[in-house]
Amino acid sequence: MIILRSLWLFPGQGGQHAGMLDQVNQQLKEQVEKWTNVKLVDTADAYQDSVQIQLSILLLQIDQVDRLQKLDWNPTLVAGHSLGVFAAAYAAKVISKEDVFKLVALRAKLMQECYPEGYGMGVVVGLSRSEVKKLVAQVHSETNPVYISNQNSEMQNTVSGKISAIEEMLELAKENGASKAKLLHVPNPSHSPLMQKAADQLNAFISTLDLHKPSCIYLANYNGHAVKNLEDITYDLGNNLIYPVLWETMMQVALEYQPTSSCEFSPGTAFTKLLKAKTDQLNIVTLSTMLVDDADYLFNKWEKNND
């Protein structure tokens, strides 16, 4: 049974919180710890560590994917934001469970090692992407780099680079009418060319994996396109860290496929809120606010209404 034109959304870092792994399959958690040699500690203190955050969010999402697929629910389209691409690829049957955890463990470790201090990300709300690009260009230099990065919505964009350059750019944004311009609690310049070294090592590891053609449409971070070939998905997984996440474009493309339902995986509901601002034509599930059994009930109800 497949929901007609269903869109599955996988958030990245930001919504993690103590206790979020309370309901996950404990056998799976133990298996992940063996695969990665990382003891997962579901506390606020542990979630100051990038490896703990990324593996725990992935575990939470993979557990939810497994539960839904065991009930015979599968997506028509998948979209992951940054870290979320890995659970999206798993949901699309591109990558095995063991490989996806090993890959994300490596990703998190490389991200920690690349820029131990002095680099990060900021967010600007209330200015267009072209306006943010112009301000970035005024500040960026080889010794004080800053890049425009993620496109979360039409008027919400992030920047990545050296903290000193980001702070200078954020001040310019405020002077030019931004409703919000602040540093994010991200300790590295993700989704910018500064992460090339990490991407090179990720690609080397990915080249050793046995990946498979997707079972559904995959929305790629790096260009916002809907793809069904393994080459583009592999490229997205390996180079995710050096490109902006073009989430706004991804959602515009997703809506062109006229999905009838969306399901946002834990943690959080931020991307459902952004989607609601674009359309009121979707039946919506957010797994951070309901049980998988509740989602199953709703999916069955909506499926019957489609008959």
Side-chain angles (χ1 to χ4, degrees):
M1 184 187 301
I2 299 177
I3 309 174
L4 184 62
R5 298 191 304 278
S6 58
L7 169 63
W8 286 12
L9 308 172
F10 297 89
Q13 296 183 66
Q16 64 273 0
H17 56 87
M20 70 180 186
L21 301 183
D22 284 351
Q23 303 301 316
V24 302
N25 183 314
Q26 289 304 299
Q27 286 185 323
L28 175 58
K29 180 173 179 282
E30 290 168 9
Q31 189 64 64
V32 170
E33 291 173 339
K34 288 179 183 177
W35 286 333
T36 62
N37 293 315
V38 175
K39 178 69 176 175
L40 297 178
V41 183
D42 191 20
T43 65
D45 285 344
Y47 291 142
Q48 302 303 309
D49 176 82
S50 183
V51 175
Q52 288 282 339
I53 293 169
Q54 294 193 45
L55 284 176
S56 295
I57 289 175
L58 180 65
L59 171 59
L60 184 55
Q61 294 176 350
I62 296 299
D63 181 65
Q64 291 174 339
V65 169
D66 283 352
R67 290 171 189 253
L68 284 175
Q69 292 186 334
K70 190 174 181 181
L71 293 166
D72 289 329
W73 299 112
N74 287 285
T76 308
L77 306 104
V78 293
H81 188 286
S82 188
L83 169 64
V85 299
F86 299 96
Y90 175 78
K93 299 178 170 54
V94 169
I95 187 169
S96 73
K97 194 175 294 180
E98 180 176 352
D99 285 347
V100 78
F101 281 106
K102 288 181 175 179
L103 179 56
V104 168
L106 175 61
R107 179 186 192 261
K109 181 172 176 285
L110 291 171
M111 288 173 72
Q112 278 190 333
E113 292 173 349
C114 275
Y115 294 92
E117 60 182 17
Y119 287 79
M121 297 181 71
V123 63
V124 177
V125 180
L127 298 180
S128 69
R129 193 162 181 83
S130 62
E131 289 173 322
V132 175
K133 277 184 179 179
K134 289 176 183 176
L135 298 179
V136 164
Q138 291 179 39
V139 174
H140 174 81
S141 69
E142 191 172 332
T143 56
N144 204 36
V146 60
Y147 298 88
I148 188 166
S149 48
N150 299 341
Q151 172 209 43
N152 293 331
S153 68
E154 189 176 351
M155 302 295 280
Q156 182 188 117
N157 293 276
T158 65
V159 292
S160 303
K162 201 169 184 178
I163 296 293
S164 57
I166 293 173
E167 289 177 335
E168 186 179 342
M169 185 269 155
L170 294 177
E171 284 304 311
L172 279 177
K174 292 173 186 175
E175 292 169 10
N176 282 269
S179 57
K180 182 190 293 185
K182 67 174 187 176
L183 282 171
L184 294 171
H185 294 294
V186 178
N188 50 63
S190 294
H191 305 293
S192 80
L194 295 170
M195 301 299 289
Q196 185 65 58
K197 183 179 177 182
D200 290 343
Q201 293 179 70
L202 275 180
N203 278 306
F205 181 71
I206 289 172
S207 70
T208 70
L209 302 180
D210 183 22
L211 303 180
H212 304 277
K213 184 179 178 181
S215 59
C216 63
I217 296 165
Y218 173 99
L219 293 149
N221 275 198
Y222 80 98
N223 62 8
H225 294 177
V227 300
K228 278 208 73 173
N229 65 79
L230 184 56
E231 183 180 2
D232 283 341
I233 297 173
T234 303
Y235 187 84
D236 200 44
L237 296 178
N239 296 285
N240 173 272
L241 286 174
I242 62 172
Y243 287 102
V245 178
L246 299 179
W247 189 260
E248 169 73 7
T249 302
M250 291 165 67
M251 291 302 97
Q252 289 174 346
V253 171
L255 292 177
E256 290 175 5
Y257 285 86
Q258 298 182 319
T260 54
S261 66
S262 73
C263 177
E264 182 169 0
F265 288 70
S266 296
T269 61
F271 295 118
T272 295
K273 291 173 184 174
L274 290 175
L275 200 54
K276 281 182 176 179
K278 289 182 169 298
T279 179
D280 60 0
Q281 300 302 305
L282 286 173
N283 294 310
I284 286 174
V285 159
T286 52
L287 291 179
S288 63
T289 64
M290 65 179 69
L291 299 173
V292 168
D293 285 348
D294 297 327
D296 179 48
Y297 169 80
L298 291 172
F299 289 159
N300 276 297
K301 176 183 174 182
W302 297 333
E303 183 72 12
K304 288 175 184 176
N305 290 340
N306 284 330
D307 290 343

